[in-house]
Amino acid sequence: SRHEPPTQLTQVAWHNVPIEQMSQKRKDPRVAVLAGAISGGIEATVTYPTEFIKTQLQLSSNVGTGPKYAGFVDCARWTVRNNGPFGLYRGLAPLVGGAIPKAAVRFGAFEFFKNRIVGTSANTTALHNLAAGLCAGVTEAVLVVTPMETLKVKLIHTNQGFFRGTRELVSRHGIGALYQGVGPTVLKQASNQGMRFFFFSEYKRLIIGNSSLTPLQSFGGGMFAGTMSVLGNNPIDVVKTRMQSMNASQYAGSWDCVKSIMRNEGFLAFYKGTLARLARVVPGQGIIFMTYEQITRLVEAHLVRYGA
C-alpha cells in the first residue's frame, strides 16, 4: 500500500504522549526557557492591574499627609477616575518586556541548577527543588528583575510613560539607578522562587502523586505555591518597593528602611499591599504554572514525535 497506516504515536494527541518518553527530555533547560518565556508574557499581561495597585499601596506612607488610598478598591477607583481605565496599565511595558526573559531565565535556571544539584541521582527531593528555586531566584533577580522592577516602580511613582520616564531616569541618575534595591530584590526573588518551586513540587508529589497534571490541577498547584510565597515574604517586597521608589534617597540603605518603617509606621506596614499582591500572585502563579506545564508537554511531545 502506498499509504502507510499512521503509527500509534502519530494517532494520539500531544497530551497523550507516553510520560516515560517525555520524561527523558523533561529536564532540558532549553525547553524550560521557551515554555517559561511564553508563560511569563501571558501571566504578566493578564494580572498587571493588580500589580499596579499593589505598588501604589506600598508607595503610600502613614507619615506626613497620611495614606493616599483607603485600600485596594479605593486605589482602583481613584486611578480610573483620574487617569482612565488604561491608567491601571501604567508601567506595563517594562513589566511585560521583562516578564518574558524573567520567566525564561527562572524556569531555565531552575532546571539547570536542579540538574547540577541532583546530579546522576534518579530521585529529586523537596530540598533539591528548594535549593534550585533559590538559585533560580537569585539568577533572575540579578539579570532581569532588579532593573525591570526599579523602572516599573519609578514610572508608577512619577506617573510617566515608558520612553519618557526611562530617558529622564537614566539622564538624571545614570544607568546605575536601575539597580537600586538590588539586595532586597535578590532576597525577594530567591525566597519567592524557592518557596514556589518547593510548594508546587510537593503539591505534585503529595496531592497528585507526580502523575501528569491536568490544566486545572496545574492551576491549583500554582495558586497554592503563590499564596505561600506571598505570605512568606511580603515584608521583603515592601522594603524592595520603598528602596526602588523616587524617595529612596531618604534611607541610608535597606536596613535603615526596615528600621524607619518599623519606627514610624509599625509592623503591619510590612504587610501593606498583601491583598493586592495576593490578588495578582495567586491567579498569576496559577496561570504561569498551568501554561508552563502544558507548553512544556506540547514541546516535548513534538520532540519525541520527530525524534529530536
Side-chain angles (χ1 to χ4, degrees):
S1 174
R2 294 179 57 188
H3 300 285
E4 293 292 334
T7 65
Q8 182 181 6
L9 186 58
T10 57
Q11 284 178 338
V12 297
W14 63 267
H15 55 269
N16 288 326
V17 175
I19 297 301
E20 58 271 16
Q21 286 183 272
M22 293 176 59
S23 63
Q24 294 175 3
K25 292 182 178 291
R26 178 64 176 166
K27 296 182 179 180
D28 189 340
R30 294 170 298 177
V31 175
V33 166
L34 175 61
I38 298 172
S39 302
I42 294 172
E43 182 268 341
T45 302
V46 170
T47 64
Y48 185 76
T50 55
E51 170 67 15
F52 176 90
I53 295 171
K54 180 223 59 167
T55 302
Q56 290 283 41
L57 291 173
Q58 290 182 341
L59 287 172
S60 66
S61 173
N62 293 334
V63 180
T65 59
K68 187 175 183 179
Y69 311 108
F72 182 88
V73 175
D74 182 57
C75 180
R77 287 175 177 169
W78 188 95
T79 302
V80 172
R81 183 169 60 249
N82 290 276
N83 299 315
F86 288 106
L88 293 171
Y89 284 89
R90 178 76 69 181
L92 173 65
L95 191 72
V96 172
I100 294 174
K102 178 175 76 170
V105 169
R106 177 194 310 161
F107 285 99
F110 173 74
E111 295 297 345
F112 173 83
F113 286 113
K114 188 169 71 171
N115 287 343
R116 296 300 182 274
I117 293 169
V118 175
T120 58
S121 173
N123 298 319
T124 302
T125 68
L127 290 179
H128 288 151
N129 289 315
L130 176 62
L134 290 170
C135 292
V138 172
T139 303
E140 72 170 357
V142 173
L143 296 182
V144 183
V145 178
T146 299
M148 179 195 73
E149 287 284 305
T150 300
L151 185 58
K152 178 209 70 177
V153 170
K154 291 184 186 299
L155 292 180
I156 291 175
H157 203 184
T158 59
N159 197 32
Q160 290 182 309
F162 175 67
F163 294 106
R164 178 184 175 186
T166 303
R167 183 170 59 251
E168 182 175 323
L169 174 65
V170 174
S171 63
R172 290 179 58 186
H173 303 287
I175 197 70
L178 294 176
Y179 273 87
Q180 283 185 325
V182 63
T185 303
V186 168
L187 288 175
K188 176 196 172 185
Q189 293 308 116
S191 57
N192 260 346
Q193 306 317 326
M195 285 189 282
R196 287 172 186 173
F197 282 113
F198 172 83
F199 283 112
F200 186 78
S201 299
E202 287 303 285
Y203 168 88
K204 290 176 65 176
R205 184 178 68 85
L206 298 175
I207 307 300
I208 312 299
N210 277 334
S211 62
S212 177
L213 297 176
T214 67
L216 184 59
Q217 289 169 335
S218 299
F219 185 73
M223 291 180 69
F224 171 65
T227 300
M228 300 306 293
S229 68
V230 169
L231 297 178
N233 76 352
N234 202 77
I236 297 174
D237 191 45
V238 171
V239 174
K240 176 200 73 70
T241 300
R242 295 287 181 93
M243 290 303 299
Q244 291 174 329
S245 73
M246 298 303 292
N247 296 328
S249 59
Q250 67 181 291
Y251 305 115
S254 297
W255 181 241
D256 182 57
C257 179
V258 171
K259 293 188 293 183
S260 177
I261 293 173
M262 178 65 78
R263 180 175 59 252
N264 297 313
E265 302 175 59
F267 176 76
L268 291 180
F270 289 109
Y271 281 88
K272 278 188 173 183
T274 299
L275 179 61
R277 193 170 171 224
L278 283 170
R280 179 188 69 84
V281 171
V282 173
Q285 290 305 301
I287 291 169
I288 199 167
F289 274 104
M290 177 182 68
T291 53
Y292 175 77
E293 289 284 320
Q294 300 308 308
I295 293 170
T296 299
R297 194 169 172 78
L298 174 61
V299 172
E300 290 179 338
H302 179 85
L303 295 177
V304 168
R305 180 172 299 146
Y306 294 100

